[in-house]
Amino acid sequence: MEINDKLEQYYSKDLIKINILLNKIDNLKYEVEHGDTHFLCDISGVCEVEKVDDDADCDIGSCFFCGTELRRVNDDWYHNTAFDDNYHLIDSSYQTHNYMGSKAGQPRSVEERNLEDVEDELNKYNKLKIKQFALFGNPVSHSESPRIYNRLFVEKESLSSYVAKEVNGIRDIANQINNFDAVNITYPFKEVATNIVDDLTYYAEVTSSVNLIKKDGRKLIGYNTDGIGFSNTIDKLNQRILIIGAGSTAKVSAIVLKENGHSVYIVNRSQKNLEFFKEYGIHTFLSKNMPIEKFDIIVNMTNAGLEDNELPLEKEKLIELIKLSSKGIDLIYNKKTPFLALFEEYGKEYEDGKRMLLSQAIENMKIFFK
Ligand code: NDP
């Protein structure tokens, strides 16, 4: 069998073909396929330079994982949080790990391998137990999760694999779940999947929704890490946060944000989902009654903008709220939604949901390998 087919067995749609098995042997070196040649190249960590802006005065790239801007100082890349307003490097702990080296697209140090050697090593490691993880949802083809988790597994030096699986309902989930050590659950099964678990942990129980199910002996345990994942992306303390939307992500995020000392307000287009928040002393508004007040951060936790160009609130009202706010966050990722475009138009800071995705993945990893 061709080496590429073997690699494909483990990794569904990675940016480059990473051979995690060789990585074990070769002390953090990746197998990279480049045309017909296989390279081993040095790596250091989870972040990498995605692209470089050739027209800029100095080398500017973007982080493959969090999407933020990167700048190069000498041979090292740093997230833009490492710089002051004049782009002087002030905090070198924000150095990004990149295996692309001095120029994106080219491995830093390479060593050609012969295909037979690679096959032999693969065969040796095929015998080891590889932990299997998956994302269950519908649709999932656009998901970044396999790429993120497979990279985190490499970082952790773990023999594990993560795939995205389109499933067709709770029966399908129940049939397939035993093929995996743990699975993440996404739209539209977060609520219904609570029916197949034996126990729910605290946040899953109070919100009646799970985004992770893990086997514990013969039992299936349901977790919800969306709230912790989101809360970890709020950099400042004591923020006044307006969440638009009242679905499962808003519920668990509001509870965790409140526990972490933020003031949380929820606005939703319909009443039914708002009832939940009253029990937790969280202020709620119906969209049509939303007053114009000052919030530090406004978050879109609705589906508006995901597959359409809708705004989650009436435009005029949203503009007045944005003018008074400092920052907008949309949980939808890899896209400048109409919601984020309004923050840009009014000169406000904004970010999409990629940081939440990564932060939640890091929380999930703790449970995967507990
Ligand atoms: P739910 O289906 O549980 O809830 C959706 C909420 O959005 C409901 O309150 C619904 O209102 C509201 N809503 C839906 N469409 C519109 C619209 N067109 N205008 C105004 N309100 C609307 O979804 P989730 O809570 O699971 O997810 C919410 C969003 O967060 C999704 O876009 C999802 O992709 C994203 N997400 C991103 C994550 C990440 O890692 N970046 C993680 C988790 C979620 P009503 O109650 O009236 O039906």
Side-chain angles (χ1 to χ4, degrees):
M1 188 190 288
E2 281 295 306
I3 186 78
N4 282 349
D5 297 336
K6 287 202 164 194
L7 292 170
E8 288 283 51
Q9 283 179 350
Y10 299 109
Y11 303 101
S12 49
K13 49 185 186 96
D14 216 322
L15 185 71
I16 53 169
K17 305 236 160 60
I18 301 165
N19 181 352
I20 203 170
L21 306 169
L22 285 175
N23 187 32
K24 268 290 188 201
I25 310 167
D26 282 299
N27 190 21
L28 281 180
K29 286 186 176 181
Y30 286 115
E31 171 82 8
V32 178
E33 180 211 10
H34 185 73
D36 289 336
T37 316
H38 293 258
F39 295 108
L40 280 183
C41 58
D42 284 347
I43 58 103
S44 45
V46 70
C47 289
E48 68 180 45
V49 182
E50 185 177 34
K51 59 177 190 276
V52 172
D53 182 350
D54 287 329
D55 298 329
D57 294 341
C58 66
D59 270 347
I60 297 179
S62 59
C63 177
F64 173 73
F65 279 97
C66 61
T68 57
E69 188 179 283
L70 303 171
R71 275 174 185 257
R72 195 170 68 165
V73 174
N74 300 323
D75 279 342
D76 296 317
W77 288 90
Y78 298 86
H79 285 98
N80 61 1
T81 33
F83 299 91
D84 65 15
D85 290 345
N86 298 318
Y87 281 105
H88 294 132
L89 184 65
I90 48 165
D91 186 348
S92 57
S93 65
Y94 285 100
Q95 183 176 5
T96 191
H97 305 286
N98 73 91
Y99 65 87
M100 294 298 191
S102 55
K103 191 79 183 162
Q106 288 169 4
R108 185 162 44 195
S109 96
V110 293
E111 177 192 320
E112 276 197 41
R113 305 269 302 187
N114 123 8
L115 263 181
E116 284 74 40
D117 288 351
V118 173
E119 287 236 46
D120 280 354
E121 284 164 356
L122 257 181
N123 284 336
K124 200 158 63 188
Y125 280 84
N126 271 348
K127 296 193 179 81
L128 293 176
K129 162 102 180 80
I130 297 175
K131 277 186 181 280
Q132 306 280 356
F133 301 98
L135 172 70
F136 283 179
N138 195 338
V140 287
S141 56
H142 64 284
S143 174
E144 295 256 354
S145 291
R147 196 159 65 164
I148 290 178
Y149 283 99
N150 285 321
R151 188 58 53 88
L152 288 172
F153 296 152
V154 172
E155 170 85 348
K156 197 180 151 49
E157 295 188 62
S158 165
L159 286 174
S160 306
S161 140
Y162 193 104
V163 292
K165 281 211 153 268
E166 193 163 294
V167 288
N168 298 308
I170 191 66
R171 195 179 289 250
D172 199 10
I173 293 177
N175 285 340
Q176 295 206 47
I177 202 159
N178 279 323
N179 299 331
F180 298 94
D181 294 90
V183 296
N184 286 124
I185 305 287
T186 188
Y187 180 83
F189 303 117
K190 284 182 178 177
E191 280 95 2
V192 77
T194 57
N195 294 318
I196 62 160
V197 302
D198 299 293
D199 282 322
L200 291 168
T201 51
Y202 176 71
Y203 294 122
E205 186 172 6
V206 294
T207 59
S208 304
S209 65
V210 290
N211 71 339
L212 196 171
I213 300 178
K214 190 188 169 199
K215 270 190 224 151
D216 184 5
R218 294 178 140 206
K219 284 186 166 181
L220 291 176
I221 313 293
Y223 298 80
N224 193 321
T225 58
D226 279 333
I228 299 166
F230 179 67
S231 185
N232 286 348
T233 68
I234 306 296
D235 302 318
K236 294 185 181 158
L237 298 174
N238 302 322
Q239 295 292 282
R240 197 165 191 262
I241 301 174
L242 176 66
I243 293 177
I244 311 175
S248 65
T249 315
K251 284 174 183 151
V252 69
S253 299
I255 294 175
V256 180
L257 287 169
K258 191 157 188 276
E259 283 172 1
N260 290 344
H262 302 290
S263 306
V264 188
Y265 299 78
I266 302 284
V267 55
N268 197 44
R269 62 182 179 183
S270 66
Q271 183 63 38
K272 189 165 162 268
N273 268 324
L274 288 179
E275 296 302 319
F276 169 88
F277 298 90
K278 291 186 180 153
E279 197 182 320
Y280 296 90
I282 292 166
H283 314 271
T284 61
F285 306 103
L286 258 180
S287 301
K288 62 178 184 189
N289 301 331
M290 180 69 212
I292 305 303
E293 292 179 16
K294 181 177 177 346
F295 297 94
D296 298 309
I297 302 173
I298 304 176
V299 192
N300 179 25
M301 282 198 196
T302 76
N303 304 345
L306 186 62
E307 279 167 349
D308 51 43
N309 283 319
E310 281 186 37
L311 286 166
L313 265 185
E314 187 209 326
K315 188 171 181 183
E316 285 65 34
K317 205 172 260 187
L318 190 54
I319 290 174
E320 293 312 309
L321 288 165
I322 289 172
K323 284 185 190 163
L324 295 173
S325 75
S326 307
K327 180 174 180 177
I329 303 176
D330 200 321
L331 289 207
I332 295 165
Y333 60 86
N334 277 354
K335 176 177 180 186
K336 193 192 289 168
T337 55
F339 175 78
L340 292 186
L342 273 185
F343 280 82
E344 183 177 55
E345 191 179 328
Y346 287 88
K348 304 289 179 167
E349 196 185 333
Y350 63 87
E351 71 176 67
D352 74 2
K354 214 165 173 185
R355 196 148 67 108
M356 150 122 183
L357 189 69
L358 182 58
S359 141
Q360 182 215 80
I362 289 165
E363 286 306 311
N364 292 342
M365 289 281 287
K366 293 180 194 163
I367 298 170
F368 286 176
F369 298 102
K370 197 158 64 177

